[in-house]
Amino acid sequence: MQIFYAPNINGNTYTLPEEESKHCIRVLRLNTGDELTLIDGKGNLFTATIATPNPKRCEVIVTDVKTEYGKRNFYLHIAIAPTKNIERLEWFLEKATEIGIDEITPILCERSERKVVNNERLEKIIVSAVKQSIKAYVPQLNPMVPLKQLLAHDTEGQKFIAHCNSWELPLLKNNANPNSRVTLLIGPEGDFTPNEVDLSITRGYQEISLGSSRLRTETAGLVACHTINIMNE
Amino acid sequence: MQIFYAPNINGNTYTLPEEESKHCIRVLRLNTGDELTLIDGKGNLFTATIATPNPKRCEVIVTDVKTEYGKRNFYLHIAIAPTKNIERLEWFLEKATEIGIDEITPILCERSERKVVNNERLEKIIVSAVKQSIKAYVPQLNPMVPLKQLLAHDTEGQKFIAHCNSWELPLLKNNANPNSRVTLLIGPEGDFTPNEVDLSITRGYQEISLGSSRLRTETAGLVACHTINIMNE
């Protein structure tokens, strides 16, 4: 199934952007009356047929809408320090999107080696993972913020910080509740500093462990993501 | 902590291979009496001190041995069809090693687009992930075999085949037993054929689902690996 991302779709007709029109008509060789699937990234999955097979402005007519397609019974927000090697963060974004995540915030920590990210590029990776895994919701990617700024916000639901400064921490799987809203912090290579952990605790974050293995930043993010998903299955 | 892989270590003294001797003496600038850690990949974690800081043949003396270091209470064997883009399989190997896996067999399936892999290269990726995550056991990587050949073997423990030909399959997490030996099959892009699924069933494999998300081959492999790990925590 070929999925097209139409974030600004509105009403029963839609004109694909030039690039996607070209892909649809020239590459896939679709023609008048052929069916395709669109998502708006907000939970709507549209079935549409091609009305005008224009390779620059392909017009389609929506014939069916599924709302809240694949809606989950939980909300997962992972705030993660971007890795020095950006490919590792990109990999996390692709896999977390496939498995299931709602919101991602890149955070700047005391030990962060990477201090900037290109959100436009990261957005593209998320959208392509959404299309590949046939999801109707596109995870929200927030601008990068310093950890302290994120902690200053009041956040609903359960709040966790995963770190390795202690081996005596309780497991995430034993402390997260199903059907709930979860915010989880993953630190950079070198981990959070004790100061950052203490500050998180004062802001209501609970320290947790992701298991006995020593994991890279992006692996920890994915393990946390799958842990929350599996307990909501 | 710097870990050196010494698969053929035997006795209380060991001479590092030329490349690792150079890394140890020229790069890390270690010298006589300095301490380092070695693993044999079979569960032994050695503490050793440098006796002869030769940059080509660095000799060390073992001062302490931890046996069965990080030994797990379960055995996980994943047989997976290598991905068309080999980087995706390599990524699976790195992450599965970090999270915890004992044996991996690349399998050739009816819909496999990739029919050969370079096990020497894959071994290196596994060993570097073992060192990075400080493990004393190196997962066993078997030569690539046709699925039918793998199925012809009698295998102890629980046997599962993950596929998407049906949405009504039971979840792996509800069917795998903790503290047990598990063999799990992951198909290629395009999934197993119905014939392959039927053959697996006749060989005692149970069909399971990894959840409601449509996952890529390498993501399915990792989700299966983490599912077995998390239920043994």
Side-chain angles (χ1 to χ4, degrees):
Chain A
M1 176 156 56
Q2 184 74 27
I3 302 239
F4 292 88
Y5 182 39
N8 53 352
I9 188 168
N10 179 10
N12 290 336
T13 64
Y14 180 72
T15 303
L16 293 178
E18 181 161 354
E19 198 178 312
E20 294 204 311
S21 294
K22 185 179 171 189
H23 180 70
C24 188
I25 305 305
R26 292 269 185 261
V27 180
L28 301 176
R29 302 189 173 280
L30 300 181
N31 211 328
T32 307
D34 287 342
E35 210 169 65
L36 45 82
T37 304
L38 297 86
I39 57 164
D40 64 359
K42 303 171 192 69
N44 296 309
L45 184 118
F46 306 88
T47 305
T49 56
I50 296 178
T52 314
N54 183 318
K56 290 189 173 180
R57 296 174 306 282
C58 175
E59 293 174 10
V60 302
I61 296 171
V62 173
T63 56
D64 181 61
V65 186
K66 290 189 178 61
T67 60
E68 299 192 337
Y69 180 81
K71 191 179 200 307
R72 287 187 292 268
N73 58 343
F74 63 100
Y75 189 93
L76 175 60
H77 175 197
I78 291 183
I80 184 169
T83 47
K84 188 177 172 187
N85 171 354
I86 195 67
E87 283 184 2
R88 294 184 171 275
L89 177 71
E90 292 173 355
W91 166 84
F92 162 76
L93 293 174
E94 176 185 307
K95 297 314 179 194
T97 301
E98 272 181 65
I99 291 169
I101 191 166
D102 301 283
E103 187 175 352
I104 301 137
T105 305
I107 48 173
L108 183 64
C109 301
E110 289 177 27
R111 292 183 183 149
S112 291
E113 292 196 51
R114 168 171 297 276
K115 297 176 168 43
V116 289
V117 292
N118 175 350
N119 269 37
E120 198 176 314
R121 176 179 162 87
L122 300 183
E123 282 280 6
K124 282 190 180 145
I125 287 161
I126 289 172
V127 167
S128 102
V130 163
K131 290 178 175 180
Q132 192 276 335
S133 55
I134 311 179
K135 292 188 176 343
Y137 292 91
V138 172
Q140 176 184 332
L141 177 67
N142 300 321
M144 189 162 175
V145 296
L147 175 63
K148 285 175 182 166
Q149 189 175 320
L150 181 89
L151 292 175
H153 290 295
D154 287 324
T155 311
E156 287 177 8
Q158 292 190 288
K159 298 181 284 186
F160 299 104
I161 177 168
H163 69 82
C164 308
N165 297 340
S166 157
W167 291 111
E168 300 306 319
L169 298 176
L171 290 169
L172 174 61
K173 72 164 186 174
N174 297 337
N175 286 267
N177 302 328
N179 312 316
S180 65
R181 182 184 183 93
V182 171
T183 304
L184 199 143
L185 311 178
I186 301 288
E189 289 104 334
D191 212 346
F192 291 112
T193 63
N195 290 341
E196 288 174 322
V197 173
D198 293 345
L199 180 61
S200 305
I201 293 168
T202 63
R203 296 296 298 160
Y205 283 76
Q206 181 183 352
E207 302 170 272
I208 49 91
S209 160
L210 297 171
S212 52
S213 290
R214 169 171 139 162
L215 305 173
R216 288 179 175 270
T217 291
E218 73 280 7
T219 319
L222 199 75
V223 160
C225 177
H226 183 244
T227 301
I228 298 299
N229 273 266
I230 199 173
M231 49 189 296
N232 280 285
E233 269 171 0
Chain B
M1 175 155 57
Q2 185 73 28
I3 302 243
F4 293 88
Y5 182 40
N8 53 352
I9 188 169
N10 178 10
N12 289 336
T13 64
Y14 180 72
T15 304
L16 294 177
E18 180 161 356
E19 196 177 315
E20 294 204 308
S21 294
K22 185 180 172 189
H23 180 72
C24 188
I25 305 305
R26 292 268 185 263
V27 181
L28 301 175
R29 302 189 171 280
L30 300 181
N31 210 327
T32 307
D34 287 342
E35 209 169 66
L36 46 82
T37 304
L38 297 86
I39 56 165
D40 65 358
K42 302 170 192 71
N44 295 309
L45 184 118
F46 305 88
T47 305
T49 56
I50 296 177
T52 314
N54 184 318
K56 290 188 172 178
R57 294 175 306 282
C58 176
E59 291 173 12
V60 302
I61 296 171
V62 173
T63 56
D64 182 60
V65 185
K66 289 188 180 63
T67 60
E68 298 192 338
Y69 180 81
K71 190 179 200 309
R72 286 187 291 270
N73 57 344
F74 63 99
Y75 189 94
L76 175 59
H77 175 196
I78 292 183
I80 184 169
T83 47
K84 186 177 171 188
N85 171 356
I86 195 67
E87 283 184 2
R88 294 185 171 275
L89 177 71
E90 293 173 354
W91 165 83
F92 162 75
L93 293 173
E94 176 185 305
K95 297 315 178 193
T97 301
E98 272 182 64
I99 292 169
I101 191 166
D102 301 282
E103 187 175 351
I104 301 137
T105 305
I107 46 173
L108 184 63
C109 302
E110 290 177 27
R111 293 184 183 148
S112 291
E113 292 196 53
R114 168 172 296 276
K115 297 175 168 42
V116 289
V117 293
N118 175 350
N119 268 36
E120 198 176 313
R121 177 179 162 86
L122 301 182
E123 282 281 6
K124 282 190 179 147
I125 287 162
I126 289 172
V127 167
S128 99
V130 163
K131 290 178 175 181
Q132 192 275 334
S133 55
I134 310 179
K135 293 187 176 344
Y137 292 91
V138 172
Q140 176 184 332
L141 178 67
N142 299 321
M144 189 161 175
V145 295
L147 174 63
K148 285 175 182 169
Q149 190 175 320
L150 181 91
L151 293 175
H153 290 296
D154 288 324
T155 311
E156 287 177 9
Q158 291 190 289
K159 298 181 283 186
F160 299 104
I161 177 168
H163 69 83
C164 308
N165 296 340
S166 157
W167 292 111
E168 301 306 318
L169 297 176
L171 290 169
L172 174 62
K173 71 164 185 172
N174 297 337
N175 288 267
N177 303 327
N179 313 315
S180 64
R181 183 185 184 92
V182 171
T183 304
L184 200 142
L185 311 178
I186 301 287
E189 289 105 333
D191 210 347
F192 290 111
T193 63
N195 290 341
E196 289 174 322
V197 172
D198 293 344
L199 180 61
S200 306
I201 293 169
T202 63
R203 296 294 298 159
Y205 283 76
Q206 181 184 350
E207 302 170 273
I208 48 91
S209 160
L210 296 171
S212 52
S213 290
R214 170 171 138 163
L215 305 173
R216 288 178 176 271
T217 290
E218 73 279 8
T219 319
L222 199 75
V223 160
C225 177
H226 183 244
T227 300
I228 297 300
N229 273 266
I230 199 172
M231 49 190 295
N232 279 285
E233 269 169 358

